[in-house]
Amino acid sequence: MKKILLLTALLCTINLTFSQVDKADMLIKNLMQKNRITGLQLAVVKNNTIVKTSNYGLANLQDSIAVDNKTVFSINSITKSFTGVAIMQLVENGKLNLEDPISKHLDSLPTTWQNITIKQIATHTSGIPDIWDSQGNILSENSEALLKKIKELPVAFKPGEELRYNQTNFLLLGMIIEKVSKKSFENFIKENQFEKAGMKNSIKAGFGDFYNIINHTARPYSYFRNGVLNNVYQPMPSILYPAGGIYSTATEIAQWVIALQSHKLINAESLKMLLKPIELNNGKVYETNDFLNISSIGFSIASREKKNSNCFAGWCQKCFVHLS
């Protein structure tokens, strides 16, 4: 069985060896200062046991509220890893097949989408258009209007020929999960992942975006505008929750990874399939020159000769999981 060597979570990605764990606080604080990170949670896992948790900095600058063990962060696109696991749970239970055309489970799709498979949307190889306009703005903040506008756009490429990271793919996966399970996406994740991994704070926080009032949540900040620290405004229609709607803590993300590795969420065969590198129609594994150079269902992977590092990352928040 693969074992987790470490996990660092939420607002920073750091690589430690276990001889350095006792120096983690100093390293984290130095990196926070260097990268101007306002607040951070850390959870380190060794041999499927959490060996260290820490909190650093502020969750809310305006009111000088410190990050603590119950502070929940929007994990943004890390949510896609949970959605990927949900798909594999349904596959494992015989309710889905990755090779099913999405039209088997969803109605009123454009003709060009009919034969696209669940596997292709789960691996960003579908060619289905994304949710953004040419200026990088979301097409609509209304769920129904957003889906309608996406359906009117042409496909970006022939399915399976390319890989382009795309929010629409996971929007559709969420719709399929709801159709097949006969439960809301939120309830399916809570019952089949949060509860099994003991993620109490995540259950309390629920799903949402920056419109929602979520107790004990960290405020998001960014230096993207003129290099000056600003509040972040990022609307997310509820239909996009499968792509980025979860709020959680570093410790509970660690608990989730332990549950995943211990096959409490999916079995060993399903986990292997979940983390299998994506292949295009030419039979070759899709690979980039980035550090995280290979992708799977809901995960990005830094390939190595003898071991892989699987990562799931959000827009402002990141988790790094090193597997052996």
Side-chain angles (χ1 to χ4, degrees):
M1 180 191 301
K2 292 181 178 180
K3 297 181 180 179
I4 298 172
L5 295 182
L6 74 95
L7 179 145
T8 65
L10 302 184
L11 285 181
C12 193
T13 303
I14 301 151
N15 194 2
L16 304 171
T17 62
F18 283 108
S19 62
Q20 296 172 314
V21 167
D22 58 329
K23 301 178 182 178
D25 290 333
M26 183 180 300
L27 178 59
I28 294 289
K29 290 175 182 177
N30 288 340
L31 285 170
M32 287 181 69
Q33 183 175 7
K34 178 180 178 181
N35 294 283
R36 300 186 295 176
I37 296 170
T38 58
L40 183 148
Q41 288 176 330
L42 171 73
V44 180
V45 179
K46 182 178 182 180
N47 296 327
N48 274 349
T49 300
I50 298 174
V51 296
K52 179 179 177 63
T53 61
S54 294
N55 306 295
Y56 310 86
L58 297 176
N60 183 312
L61 295 180
Q62 289 91 328
D63 302 307
S64 299
I65 299 173
V67 175
D68 63 27
N69 292 334
K70 293 183 179 180
T71 302
V72 292
F73 291 75
S74 168
I75 68 170
N76 288 291
S77 282
I78 298 170
T79 302
K80 292 182 176 66
S81 297
F82 288 76
T83 303
V85 170
I87 288 294
M88 293 312 305
Q89 287 175 325
L90 292 171
V91 169
E92 193 173 296
N93 291 328
K95 296 182 178 180
L96 282 181
N97 187 308
L98 290 179
E99 301 302 329
D100 285 346
I102 59 175
S103 57
K104 179 178 178 179
H105 305 285
L106 299 177
D107 301 323
S108 304
L109 296 177
T111 303
T112 52
W113 297 17
Q114 294 289 322
N115 295 322
I116 292 172
T117 66
I118 292 174
K119 183 177 181 180
Q120 286 169 335
I121 61 172
T123 57
H124 298 292
T125 59
S126 68
I128 287 174
D130 209 346
I131 64 172
W132 315 107
D133 63 20
S134 59
Q135 303 301 314
N137 300 311
I138 192 167
L139 293 169
S140 175
E141 294 184 21
N142 175 274
S143 292
E144 291 183 6
L146 176 62
L147 184 58
K148 182 177 184 296
K149 289 184 178 182
I150 294 170
K151 288 180 177 181
E152 294 170 352
L153 298 173
V155 294
F157 55 87
K158 183 179 178 181
E161 293 292 315
E162 299 182 32
L163 186 153
R164 293 188 196 175
Y165 187 80
N166 180 312
Q167 306 301 327
T168 307
N169 289 316
F170 277 70
L171 176 160
L172 294 171
L173 287 178
M175 293 174 64
I176 290 172
I177 289 167
E178 292 188 335
K179 182 74 174 291
V180 172
S181 69
K182 295 180 174 57
K183 297 180 180 180
S184 70
F185 174 78
E186 293 93 330
N187 284 339
F188 187 86
I189 296 296
K190 287 178 183 178
E191 294 173 12
N192 292 283
Q193 296 186 49
F194 288 177
E195 291 179 1
K196 289 183 178 181
M199 300 171 69
K200 295 180 180 179
N201 291 308
S202 305
I203 292 171
K204 289 179 182 178
F207 295 68
D209 69 359
F210 303 118
Y211 283 124
N212 300 95
I213 297 174
I214 297 176
N215 293 334
H216 226 79
T217 184
R219 291 284 297 269
Y221 302 99
S222 170
Y223 291 95
F224 287 172
R225 292 182 61 186
N226 303 319
V228 178
L229 191 65
N230 288 279
N231 291 303
V232 172
Y233 168 74
Q234 187 185 31
M236 182 181 297
S238 59
I239 199 171
L240 282 176
Y241 287 174
I246 290 176
Y247 282 74
S248 190
T249 70
T251 297
E252 293 189 356
I253 293 290
Q255 291 170 195
W256 178 82
V257 175
I258 291 170
L260 181 63
Q261 289 289 116
S262 303
H263 305 137
K264 293 179 180 178
L265 304 181
I266 54 177
N267 63 31
E269 182 180 352
S270 296
L271 180 59
K272 183 178 179 180
M273 191 179 302
L274 179 77
L275 299 178
K276 182 181 178 182
I278 296 168
E279 295 180 358
L280 300 179
N281 289 345
N282 60 12
K284 295 182 179 180
V285 171
Y286 176 83
E287 190 168 357
T288 70
N289 293 322
D290 299 328
F291 171 69
L292 298 170
N293 60 328
I294 295 175
S295 299
S296 68
I297 297 175
F299 288 81
S300 296
I301 302 169
S303 63
R304 296 291 181 270
E305 290 184 4
K306 294 183 179 180
K307 59 185 70 174
N308 287 338
S309 298
N310 295 294
C311 173
F312 34 102
W315 178 67
C316 291
Q317 295 79 8
K318 295 185 179 179
C319 291
F320 184 86
V321 183
H322 190 73
L323 307 175
S324 68

